[in-house]
Amino acid sequence: PSSTTAPTAPEGRLGVVQASALYIAAVLGTGILVLPGLAADAAGPASIVAVAVVLALSIPLAGTFAALAARFPDAGGVATFVRLALGPTAARMAGYWFFFGVQFGAPVVATLGAEYLVAALGADRAVVPFAALAFLIVPLTISFFGLRVSGSVQLVLTGLLVVVVVGVVAITAPAVQTTNFQPFLPHGWSGVALAISLFVWAFAGWEAVTHIAGEFRSPRRTIPIATAVAIVVVGAAYLSLQVVTVGVSTTSTRGGRVPLIDLVSVTAPGVGPVVVAVIAAVVAVGVLNAYVPAFGKLAASLGRDGHLPRWFAKGAEPGCVPRRGLALVTVIELSYFALLTWRGSELTPFILIHTASMVAVYALGMVAAVRLLDRFSAGWWMAVVSVVLVAGLLVLAGANLVFPAALAVVALIVTLVKRRTRA
């Protein structure tokens, strides 16, 4: 396995700063809008420990994906790693899981941002679907102009996001009450376990940027640095938000549908809603702007490798815009959004399909990493640890793995059909 070589390709154009911005947006995500309040409800002050634990656990996972992406920068991302280690059928499964399964999260992100924006502005909730559709269309449109434009936009969005998080913490810090940190374990360690499971969603996303790793200059240098920067920024953001959430809010203010509004309103009742509206807009567009190019590149690579019709293959190369793949992404995401709207914007089933598909991708990706990375190297050890962690996530996913299982069956059928056709 250590002799496996990466696909050769022209070097990309995105540097460390833009790569870091994409990583931060993909991982920080919409979790900042709801998770600090939910975790505080679940574990009280000990939710701060939950953040620290999940941050520590995410390091080997992030490090493994960084090692793989740096060594094998390709539009296929995890599907490429799996193909090199486990063969084309397993790669087809991983590709389908990410492309068709993880995309269920796109309308969820758009709707969460819209819910927050509408609530912060005091508008009628009937506006939510229209605002969500706008959040979805903007990054889809930007992506057709290529990653140079998308990456520059992402740099601005991530910069705004970090500034807003710092602003929220600065505004609310004076209202922190030390009495709110007692008792430290109001719901016992079971509450901490629940908070940890919530924050797994918050620290997911390291795999998304692997699909555009070929767009980075000097991937072996850029990707590890960008990953390290993202870990520090995301960890600091969630830890600081969790501290002020516990220190400022009460049980009544944490129970709302938009907890950050209640949080900033404590010390800035006039400015607070405006700040939260900015957060919602920046987060929703920023997360989607990080994921959409990844989905487009993956569609092109799946076409290139014969897992989708070869018509979609155009644009898989670094520096090229996969417009045909992005067209397919647009159709899928708008279809998923229509389904979500038809179901009354019930987010839970879409979140479960998204997370189960992501965990399935992680599972094959970590097994591939153990086979591909140099044995006993730092990346290999992180992969070994990650295999154990992901096995636990698979157990937690349980019955929600039905959708990935169905896609796996489709991948097997495609393999059988292709073999019969060749015969």
Side-chain angles (χ1 to χ4, degrees), residues 22-405:
L22 287 163
Y23 268 109
I24 291 168
V27 179
L28 192 56
T30 52
I32 65 168
L33 300 178
V34 291
L35 288 178
L38 292 176
D41 280 340
S47 58
I48 299 168
V49 175
V51 177
V53 168
V54 177
L55 174 61
L57 294 178
S58 71
I59 292 174
L61 194 65
T64 302
F65 279 123
L68 287 169
R71 184 169 179 177
F72 307 99
D74 183 74
V78 180
T80 293
F81 311 149
V82 174
R83 173 174 57 81
L84 294 172
L86 303 172
T89 300
R92 187 174 292 121
M93 291 180 186
Y96 288 176
W97 289 337
F98 194 89
F99 190 71
F100 295 105
V102 174
Q103 278 202 82
F104 270 89
V108 172
V109 170
T111 301
L112 282 174
E115 287 272 13
Y116 238 89
L117 182 60
V118 168
L121 299 179
D124 193 312
R125 287 201 68 246
V127 179
V128 168
F130 300 99
L133 183 60
F135 281 141
L136 203 59
I137 289 175
V138 168
L140 285 169
T141 302
I142 292 172
S143 64
F144 278 88
F145 292 94
L147 266 168
R148 292 192 72 179
V149 173
S150 182
S152 300
V153 171
Q154 193 60 60
L155 182 59
V156 174
L157 290 173
T158 301
L160 286 172
L161 176 57
V162 172
V163 167
V164 169
V165 170
V166 171
V168 169
V169 173
I171 289 171
T172 55
V176 169
Q177 301 291 326
T178 56
T179 54
N180 284 351
F181 293 89
Q182 297 296 330
F184 190 72
L185 276 170
H187 306 299
W189 289 107
S190 61
V192 177
L194 176 57
I196 288 173
S197 66
L198 288 169
F199 273 110
V200 166
W201 165 274
F203 286 89
W206 302 107
E207 79 297 331
V209 189
T210 61
H211 298 281
I212 55 175
E215 304 297 327
F216 299 151
R217 289 195 301 268
S218 304
R220 290 201 177 207
R221 172 182 173 273
T222 298
I223 291 173
I225 294 175
T227 301
V229 169
I231 289 174
V232 172
V233 172
V234 171
Y238 271 113
L239 282 170
S240 58
L241 281 174
Q242 201 61 41
V243 169
V244 296
T245 298
V246 172
V248 174
S249 60
T250 63
T251 301
S252 60
T253 60
R254 287 197 302 263
R257 188 165 43 87
V258 283
L260 275 188
I261 292 180
D262 301 320
L263 185 63
V264 298
S265 294
V266 172
T267 52
V271 180
V274 176
V275 172
V276 173
V278 173
I279 291 176
V282 170
V283 168
V285 176
V287 171
L288 291 169
N289 194 54
Y291 270 90
V292 167
F295 289 132
K297 280 291 187 181
L298 176 58
S301 74
L302 291 174
R304 177 198 64 195
D305 297 335
H307 306 315
L308 287 177
R310 294 196 179 275
W311 186 81
F312 292 108
K314 188 174 182 180
E317 306 82 4
C320 298
V321 182
R323 291 190 174 88
R324 294 177 181 179
L326 287 169
L328 180 58
V329 170
T330 301
V331 170
I332 290 174
E333 292 195 358
L334 292 179
S335 298
Y336 287 175
F337 177 78
L339 179 61
L340 179 67
T341 304
W342 177 69
R343 290 180 56 88
S345 296
E346 184 183 355
L347 301 182
T348 301
F350 284 70
I351 292 174
L352 292 176
I353 291 174
H354 167 89
T355 53
S357 300
M358 187 170 285
V359 169
V361 171
Y362 282 173
L364 276 185
M366 292 305 100
V367 172
V370 171
R371 299 199 64 184
L372 289 175
L373 299 175
D374 293 328
R375 187 164 296 184
F376 304 124
S377 65
W380 184 85
W381 280 114
M382 285 190 287
V384 171
V385 172
S386 297
V387 166
V388 178
L389 297 176
V390 173
L393 293 178
L394 284 171
V395 173
L396 290 175
N400 297 319
L401 293 170
V402 169
F403 188 81

